[in-house]
Amino acid sequence: MEPLVVGLLGITHPHASARVRALREIEGVEVVAAADDDPRLQYFTDKYDMEPRDIDGVLEDGRINAVMVHSKSKDMVSHALRALAAGKSVVVEKPGGGTVDDLLKLAEAESLAAPGLVVQVGYNVRLAQSVTRAKGLIDAGTIGNVVSVSARGAALAGEHLTAHLNQPADMGGALWIIGCHMVDSLVSMFGIPESVNARVRKSAMLSDESSREDSAAVLLNYPDMSATFSFDSHDRLEWFESSGISVYGTAGMIEIGVLPQKLRVYVEKDRDGWSAGWTEWTQSYFTPPFARTDANKFSELPELENISNFRTEMRGWIDSIRTGASVVAPVTDALAVARIIDACYRSEQELGASVQVAQGVTPDAELTS
């Protein structure tokens, strides 16, 4: 087995340490160096036993054949492009950039990359076993034809004030940086909607103008079904604990929980090995919290405790590099998520008017109907 040697560009995102730990559980993978101009680089590299370097020191290292990008959103694509030009596969932390244009550039770079190089975006909620099992049931027709979908996502109360959710170059705040996880899960299960109606709101009761949106209510319009997505930035529960997706079909329904992962399946009669009525499955509870300590509760420190979805994500990335397996979180889906959320912001400017969602990897037209 040929060794894979990994370096990091950016360490300030809390997912950086989670991916390092998940990678080190995979045979034949080394994580050796990290670059960042943040003063906490030395803390990070000391704690995770790697060398602190500058960007050139990572990219010019011939041993390093894969790079993880955990920079500020505005720098994600430029770092990824440099890594690809240096002949290294990349995983780019979600949402993959700060704007739709960033994701278009990443998609173009992927299409021009040398054969064998893998580009993956850091969406891993879609890889939760509860989500993938539900997708399998939907695709198999176990609950009949899907009629409607209801989804919810949230940021933890207080997170709306962090620099992480208020980066000046980003097209949005909590809906873009946190809500993207659940939108991506919807894209992974149902594809890209034709259009979006949305209200994205600020509330004087909840926050002042030092932070961005407080909540969103979104209608995603598909040809044969509708999906609703509600999001708020002031949830009092642990990250993803109240996030979920309910899928209603002509022969049953599915309720999906993210963390803890859980699945409730209802079928009206025995079908595909499922007994009539409700069947419930739970994979995990919060034995370790998602964030390690109170000091790491928000994005100012780069550490998480619960890395269950990161293990699946990193194994997928490594398998794609080693075997050519399909990318588990492709750039095209990340671009779709960016376009959907951009459409939400544009719909709000038109007081909830329908905004079409562009398809493919060509530059977007300003489509409003």
Side-chain angles (χ1 to χ4, degrees):
M1 184 182 298
E2 184 176 345
L4 275 173
V5 182
V6 179
L8 281 74
L9 300 182
I11 54 90
T12 57
H13 195 286
H15 294 175
S17 65
R19 290 193 174 99
V20 168
R21 287 149 57 209
L23 279 173
R24 285 178 168 165
E25 294 178 359
I26 302 173
E27 183 181 357
V29 177
E30 300 177 60
V31 187
V32 299
D36 201 308
D37 58 7
D38 189 278
R40 290 164 292 184
L41 175 63
Q42 191 68 55
Y43 159 82
F44 186 92
T45 53
D46 285 348
K47 183 161 189 175
Y48 294 102
D49 190 24
M50 62 184 76
E51 293 181 15
R53 300 182 187 174
D54 59 18
I55 292 175
D56 289 339
V58 171
L59 295 179
E60 293 173 3
D61 187 334
R63 287 187 64 227
I64 293 176
N65 43 27
V67 165
M68 298 195 294
V69 178
H70 293 93
S71 62
K72 301 301 182 187
S73 300
K74 68 180 180 63
D75 299 321
M76 287 177 177
V77 173
S78 61
H79 287 340
L81 267 56
R82 289 189 64 186
L84 290 169
K88 306 177 193 305
S89 292
V90 295
V91 63
V92 185
E93 169 55 22
K94 60 81 194 165
T99 65
V100 172
D101 284 346
D102 284 345
L103 271 299
L104 283 165
K105 291 175 185 174
L106 188 62
E108 180 183 20
E110 180 187 39
S111 70
L112 299 173
L117 294 185
V118 172
V119 185
Q120 181 171 308
V121 180
Y123 283 114
N124 56 42
V125 170
R126 61 160 52 203
L127 303 175
Q129 194 173 350
S130 55
V131 176
T132 58
R133 290 184 68 181
K135 176 174 169 54
L137 293 172
I138 293 164
D139 292 345
T142 302
I143 62 167
N145 296 319
V146 175
V147 176
S148 63
V149 178
S150 176
R152 170 178 164 75
L156 186 63
E159 191 177 9
H160 70 293
L161 297 172
T162 63
H164 179 56
L165 296 190
N166 294 282
Q167 296 177 48
D170 282 356
M171 69 176 178
L175 177 62
W176 173 224
I177 301 298
I178 306 295
C180 62
H181 275 297
M182 297 305 292
V183 174
D184 175 71
S185 295
L186 293 172
V187 167
S188 75
M189 289 193 285
F190 305 108
I192 307 171
E194 292 180 334
S195 64
V196 168
N197 297 76
R199 300 309 307 268
V200 183
R201 310 305 299 271
K202 281 288 295 180
S203 170
M205 175 182 70
L206 295 171
S207 65
D208 60 25
E209 294 305 313
S210 63
S211 63
R212 289 171 169 164
E213 62 266 16
D214 293 311
S215 63
V218 181
L219 179 64
L220 301 104
N221 306 303
Y222 291 84
D224 296 316
M225 67 168 218
S226 64
T228 59
F229 174 52
S230 64
F231 180 83
D232 77 71
S233 303
H234 303 275
D235 198 303
R236 291 288 167 183
L237 299 179
E238 180 64 77
W239 276 278
F240 298 109
E241 190 172 357
S242 64
S243 297
I245 302 171
S246 296
V247 184
Y248 302 89
T250 55
M253 66 173 293
I254 301 172
E255 294 179 348
I256 306 164
V258 176
L259 279 177
Q261 290 189 45
K262 55 188 175 182
L263 201 63
R264 298 183 75 229
V265 180
Y266 174 84
V267 290
E268 57 189 19
K269 60 182 179 180
D270 292 357
R271 187 182 181 117
D272 298 338
W274 294 80
S275 299
W278 286 101
T279 301
E280 300 186 16
W281 167 85
T282 300
Q283 186 216 37
S284 63
Y285 286 95
F286 285 105
T287 302
F290 189 64
R292 178 168 295 157
T293 66
D294 285 342
N296 292 323
K297 184 177 287 185
F298 300 120
S299 302
E300 278 69 30
L301 287 176
E303 297 173 284
L304 298 180
E305 180 63 27
N306 191 315
I307 66 170
S308 57
N309 291 339
F310 293 93
R311 293 186 174 104
T312 308
E313 175 195 34
M314 289 295 93
R315 289 191 184 103
W317 186 46
I318 297 304
D319 285 347
S320 295
I321 295 170
R322 283 177 168 163
T323 71
S326 297
V327 177
V328 296
V331 177
T332 50
D333 284 1
L335 172 59
V337 172
R339 283 170 161 160
I340 291 167
I341 295 178
D342 175 67
C344 291
Y345 293 129
R346 289 193 283 130
S347 179
E348 169 59 28
Q349 292 172 1
E350 299 296 326
L351 300 179
S354 180
V355 175
Q356 288 181 271
V357 179
Q359 312 286 317
V361 296
T362 55
D364 292 17
E366 292 292 322
L367 299 174
T368 305
S369 61

